Amino acid sequence: MRSDNLITLIVFIVYTIVAFLLFMASPSFLVSYIITIIGLVSCLYINGKAYEKNNSSNFNSYPITILTSSYIIIQMVISLICMALFFMLIISTIIQIIVYAIFIILAISLLNSKDYIEEVEAETEKEISFHREFSKRLTIISSSTHNNDYKNRLDELINSVRYTNPVSTSQSLLIENELFDLLGILDESIKNNDDDMVYRTIESLQDKMNEREILVRK
């Protein structure tokens, strides 16, 4: 169980003890208590929906946690006030239903916003995966070679790649596959100390990156 849900349950237990010790059972008391239970269950369910994917986008779930925590505290306070002041049943019910309705509307809006943000993040992650992986492999190849001339040429290429557009498109997929193939050739050429092939492959990589840059900017 998440710590925020555990805290919410503890607060609810304290609320229950206070309510039953201080106030007499009445229609207003029962309605207030039942609505609070419904609110508690709703908060636990909404928190579960917000964190069910358990991924890096949990940052986007924090506003939902703040909302559920705020609502259940407000609901408990309102219900205790209704119990203490012996509000008319109809007034007590209307007030708490309005608060609950506002909470549900806000919760649904935040959940929908969270889903949209996560979809955008996933799409962006997919679109920049080539650039990140290509840069990573190129850096590994550069760091593994002890030939200073190779390293200098590779560092120039790495620096050039760093400033290219990271977002891939459907038009750039073919040339990106060719770039990965060239990386394999480059790695093998460096291991064999084949100067001519190393330099020609680096030039081919630079040319292909320039072609990709043109494609992704269309």
Side-chain angles (χ1 to χ4, degrees), residues 30-175:
L30 293 175
V31 168
S32 296
Y33 191 72
I34 290 171
I35 292 176
T36 303
I37 292 176
I38 293 172
L40 173 69
V41 173
S42 299
C43 287
L44 296 177
Y45 174 77
I46 290 169
N47 278 342
K49 291 290 291 182
Y51 289 92
E52 63 183 356
K53 294 183 180 179
N54 192 29
N55 56 25
S56 59
S57 291
N58 278 348
F59 175 78
N60 301 317
S61 301
Y62 295 156
I64 298 174
T65 301
I66 293 172
L67 174 66
T68 55
S69 299
S70 300
Y71 162 72
I72 198 61
I73 291 173
I74 291 171
Q75 169 56 32
M76 289 178 184
V77 171
I78 291 176
S79 69
L80 289 174
I81 291 174
C82 291
M83 294 175 190
L85 300 181
F86 298 101
F87 278 9
M88 291 178 58
L89 178 59
I90 186 66
I91 296 176
S92 172
T93 304
I94 290 174
I95 291 173
Q96 292 176 85
I97 288 177
I98 289 174
V99 173
Y100 180 74
I102 293 172
F103 161 67
I104 291 298
I105 292 170
L106 291 175
I108 292 173
S109 298
L110 286 176
L111 283 172
N112 289 337
S113 298
K114 175 181 176 292
D115 289 341
Y116 174 74
I117 291 171
E118 288 180 347
E119 288 175 5
V120 172
E121 288 178 343
E123 187 63 29
T124 302
E125 180 71 15
K126 181 179 178 181
E127 290 175 347
I128 66 174
S129 60
F130 160 77
H131 191 274
R132 184 180 59 253
E133 183 63 22
F134 184 80
S135 299
K136 177 182 175 181
R137 289 177 59 179
L138 194 57
T139 301
I140 291 173
I141 292 173
S142 176
S143 61
S144 64
T145 181
H146 300 292
N147 185 309
N148 289 330
D149 192 30
Y150 291 174
K151 186 179 290 292
N152 289 336
R153 295 288 296 274
L154 287 169
D155 287 344
E156 290 177 5
L157 179 60
I158 291 170
N159 191 55
S160 175
V161 170
R162 183 179 294 116
Y163 295 103
T164 58
N165 192 330
V167 179
S168 298
T169 66
S170 57
Q171 294 177 311
S172 66
L173 292 178
L174 179 60
I175 200 168

Side-chain angles (χ1 to χ4, degrees), residues 171-212:
Q171 294 177 311
S172 66
L173 292 178
L174 179 60
I175 200 168
E176 288 170 358
N177 289 332
E178 293 175 358
L179 281 162
F180 278 128
D181 291 340
L182 285 172
L183 275 185
I185 296 172
L186 176 63
D187 190 30
E188 190 65 27
S189 301
I190 290 175
K191 290 177 181 177
N192 295 331
N193 291 315
D194 187 341
D195 292 351
D196 183 56
M197 182 59 74
V198 169
Y199 297 138
R200 284 196 291 117
T201 306
I202 290 175
E203 290 177 2
S204 296
L205 283 166
Q206 183 62 70
D207 291 340
K208 288 292 182 182
M209 284 302 298
N210 291 338
E211 290 179 33
R212 176 187 177 275

